[in-house]
Amino acid sequence: MVLVLEMLACSYLMVSVALPQISSHFQTTQGVWILTAFLLVGAVASPLLGKLADTHGKRKVLLACVLLSAAGALIAAVAPTFPMLVLGWALTGLLSPCLFLVYALIRDVYPPRTVTMAVSVSTTGMGLIAVPAPFFTGWIVDNFGFRGVFWFFVIGLSLLAALIRVTTEESPIRLPGRIDLIGATLLGMGLAGLLLGISFGPDWGWTTPSTLVWLAVGLVFMLAWLASARKLRDPIIDLSILSQRPIALTSLSSGLCWAAIAAFVMLLPMMVMTPNDLGLGYGFGADAGEYAWFHAPDAAMTLVGGLVVGALVPRVRPKLMMIAGLALVAAGSLLLAVSHDSKAMVILLAAVIGLGGGMGYAATPNLLIEAVPRQLLATAGAIASTAGNILPAILPILVFAMLNSHIAFVAEGSALYSDTGISIGFAMVAGAALIGALAAMAIPRSIQQADAPSAPLAD
């Protein structure tokens, strides 16, 4: 299960490193849609899969997610066009729900005294892949091109599916419920419309009919989803659960933590791999292998952040861990916005941001465990996962929309952004983390667990 979540962490990291080469190969300024489509599928699928996991078994759903993700990686590996690559990697977005499926399954089958540390370690990873991943990714991209990244996921996920089938126990916890396909469709269409309008707005013009139509379509579908969620018996996202302050604020703060790290991971290789002789005011001209030295400390400190939370949560409330983590992300990103012309400073600040992100990641499941009973953990985790996919899908789109308004020049089909644009991008990361910290501060000091709607059913 740790390796599954390591693959989830590497999915964003490895594709981010390959993104400049992918954008250049397909000559597109919309490379961010590879990551956005991945997160969008995860956002829409998470609440559906949370319901399925609660009703049919968390292990079954986890195994299905890993197998379908491997199929998506295969499509991306052989994709002849950029839209086909986006489609394939979007299917691999089914790795995202594995985050809450893993810690919900751990809570059900692990001895109670080991749950807190197991969840923290699993959420941030044991470092088996995450720390060497930047070096491994650089080697793959430099020697096999961007398609090598996708073939790595085809092979790795296929092997993990076999391991899950052999080694992982099924949860005995069941919660009856229905699957809301209508809500999933409305939510997916609404998010897609809004993200398309925001993404292409800088190119089309914010007041052009095409931009306004997509934004209007997205808004209409989102309103329709809200209406259906209030009327349906078992909506895709139970607004009654989401209306509880601990769950809502945990979802918001964790979602903003993921969003800040997602945008940071997208910006860092873009800045570091830009040639330093172009007079842009940033860039070190690193190739994919050299970039690993900038990102490896970030990955290592993410692991440390998870271990810190696992060790301290029995004595320190996870709320405080979330606040501290987001404060570190905000501070590190703000300093990067001000100064990013020193390699040593960039590496140091990336490590600070990684530490804060690791603390935020590990605090999330512990906050949910504190707030909901076992029967509702997958459902509540799905809600948090939805926020943890929607917000990371939106923030990079907003950052790219801003960057595409600050293009310095285009060389060989690739857009190169101004120093002002890069600085604003890191400031946007800091702003998201700061808002997340404020949301975490508002989590009630005393939490009363939500009630399960009915008694669990045993196998």
Side-chain angles (χ1 to χ4, degrees), residues 9-81:
C10 289
S11 65
Y12 211 94
L13 162 65
M14 296 179 76
V15 173
S16 295
V17 174
L19 189 57
Q21 190 179 110
I22 294 171
S23 298
S24 178
H25 178 82
F26 292 106
Q27 295 191 355
T28 177
T29 60
Q30 296 297 327
V32 69
W33 270 96
I34 302 171
L35 305 175
T36 296
F38 177 96
L39 293 166
L40 183 60
V41 168
V44 176
S46 287
L48 278 175
L49 295 172
K51 289 278 188 180
L52 285 171
D54 280 335
T55 56
H56 298 289
K58 301 175 180 69
R59 175 180 174 272
K60 292 185 181 72
V61 177
L62 178 65
L63 182 59
C65 286
V66 174
L67 286 170
L68 289 171
S69 296
L74 178 61
I75 294 172
V78 300
T81 64

Side-chain angles (χ1 to χ4, degrees), residues 214-411:
W214 278 112
L215 292 175
V217 167
L219 182 60
V220 168
F221 274 107
M222 290 298 291
L223 292 174
W225 164 69
L226 284 172
S228 71
R230 294 180 181 279
K231 291 186 177 182
L232 293 177
R233 180 178 174 183
D234 290 302
I236 183 173
I237 295 178
D238 191 337
L239 297 181
S240 66
I241 295 177
L242 186 57
S243 65
Q244 298 176 47
R245 282 184 63 199
I247 296 174
L249 292 170
T250 295
S251 299
L252 179 58
S253 59
S254 66
L256 286 168
C257 179
W258 281 96
I261 298 300
F264 168 74
V265 170
M266 179 192 72
L267 281 169
L268 188 63
M270 189 181 302
M271 180 187 73
V272 170
M273 298 171 77
T274 297
N276 57 1
D277 57 355
L278 298 177
L280 294 173
Y282 68 91
F284 303 109
D287 60 22
E290 293 167 339
Y291 169 73
W293 293 102
F294 289 85
H295 192 81
D298 171 18
M301 293 307 292
T302 299
L303 167 64
V304 172
L307 294 175
V308 167
V309 172
L312 294 181
V313 158
R315 299 181 297 277
V316 180
R317 287 195 60 202
K319 166 183 173 175
L320 299 177
M321 297 290 98
M322 176 68 81
I323 295 169
L326 285 165
L328 287 173
V329 174
S333 301
L334 191 58
L335 288 172
L336 269 178
V338 175
S339 176
H340 43 255
D341 56 357
S342 165
K343 290 183 180 180
M345 181 61 70
V346 170
I347 291 172
L348 175 62
L349 292 177
V352 170
I353 293 169
L355 175 62
M359 293 175 68
Y361 297 160
T364 299
N366 287 299
L367 279 167
L368 291 175
I369 287 173
E370 187 178 69
V372 299
R374 296 172 67 186
Q375 301 97 314
L376 286 176
L377 186 56
T379 299
I383 292 173
S385 179
T386 300
N389 283 280
I390 291 176
L391 294 175
I394 292 174
L395 184 59
I397 286 287
L398 293 175
V399 171
F400 248 89
M402 179 277 300
L403 287 173
N404 286 333
S405 300
H406 290 80
I407 296 177
F409 55 87
V410 177

Side-chain angles (χ1 to χ4, degrees), residues 405-454:
S405 300
H406 290 80
I407 296 177
F409 55 87
V410 177
E412 299 179 356
S414 298
L416 293 167
Y417 304 103
S418 69
D419 185 63
T420 299
I422 295 296
S423 294
I424 295 174
F426 283 119
M428 292 172 70
V429 173
L434 182 59
I435 295 171
L438 293 174
M441 289 179 186
I443 295 174
R445 184 179 300 272
S446 177
I447 295 179
Q448 182 177 0
Q449 278 206 347
D451 293 327
S454 60

Side-chain angles (χ1 to χ4, degrees), residues 139-162:
W139 177 77
I140 289 179
V141 173
D142 288 340
N143 290 277
F144 302 100
F146 67 86
R147 296 188 188 276
V149 169
F150 300 116
W151 281 113
F152 167 74
F153 282 94
V154 174
I155 297 169
L157 291 173
S158 299
L159 291 174
L160 282 177

